[in-house]
Amino acid sequence: MLSNRLIHSAVAFFVVGVALGTAMGATQDFRFTHVHAHINLLGWVALGLIGLIYRVHPHLQQHWLAHAHYWLHTAGLVIFMGAFAWGVATDAKPVPFIATGATMVSLAVLLFAVNVFTRLSRSTAADYR
Ligand code: HEM
Ligand code: HEM
């Protein structure tokens, strides 16, 4: 079920985000704050919330838009955060990678929004049993 996959992915981002926050606090090195904030918010919070929304409205996840959203969001976030962290840790300026990852996430959010706005009210009674 896609909702389970979203929740699994959210928890994986949570573990990484919290570990990074703990390491930042322990070393007093805050260069990775943006990475930490967005792994937690776009990973743990957004994916977890969407997973729960799919549990409440199961028909939303039975559509290609939901699957396309999932892959674009998770792959985009890994590229976005990986490139951002790489740029912070080295002198590299991987702006094209950061932009690609961020655009993938934004596109994913758009697909999720289209799914919700066009299909949410088409719920059937079976959704709420
Ligand atoms: C054990 C868990 C966590 C630890 C140890 C931790 C640690 C930190 C640290 C050290 C900073 C940098 C603060 C600074 O720059 O002065 C920070 C910033 C931030 N954290 Fe966490 N964090 C944790 C969990 C979370 C979670 C779960 C979220 C979101 C759901 C989150 C969201 C943020 C945000 C948005 C910022 C940036 C705040 C700003 O720019 O003012 N953190 N965190
Ligand atoms: C594709 C999606 C997103 C992109 C490209 C993005 C980009 C950015 C940028 C450029 C900044 C400013 C960094 C700076 O001041 O140097 C920022 C800060 C911030 N964003 Fe996002 N953001 C995205 C999604 C989100 C979402 C969904 C949330 C919350 C649920 C969020 C929460 C924050 C917070 C709390 C800050 C301030 C903390 C920080 O500086 O790291 N962002 N974001």
Side-chain angles (χ1 to χ4, degrees), residues 37-120:
H38 289 86
I39 287 178
N40 276 317
L41 292 168
L42 278 167
W44 163 235
V45 177
L47 290 177
L49 186 57
I50 294 168
L52 292 181
I53 289 172
Y54 288 166
R55 291 297 267 209
V56 179
H57 303 284
H59 73 289
L60 282 180
Q61 63 190 317
Q62 286 147 14
H63 196 273
W64 70 266
L65 280 167
H67 291 267
H69 158 266
Y70 172 79
W71 288 110
L72 270 176
H73 192 139
T74 51
L77 188 55
V78 169
I79 294 169
F80 182 18
M81 294 295 104
F84 206 112
W86 173 36
V88 169
T90 68
D91 283 338
K93 297 230 176 328
V95 174
F97 291 99
I98 296 172
T100 302
T103 305
M104 286 168 74
V105 176
S106 299
L107 200 58
V109 170
L110 200 63
L111 297 184
F112 173 66
V114 171
N115 193 11
V116 169
F117 284 119
T118 60
R119 302 182 65 252
L120 182 65

Side-chain angles (χ1 to χ4, degrees), residues 14 18 21-22 24-25 30 33 36-37 40-41 44-45:
F14 194 24
V18 162
T22 308
M24 284 168 18
F30 303 120
T33 297
H36 161 77
N40 276 317
L41 292 168
W44 163 235
V45 177

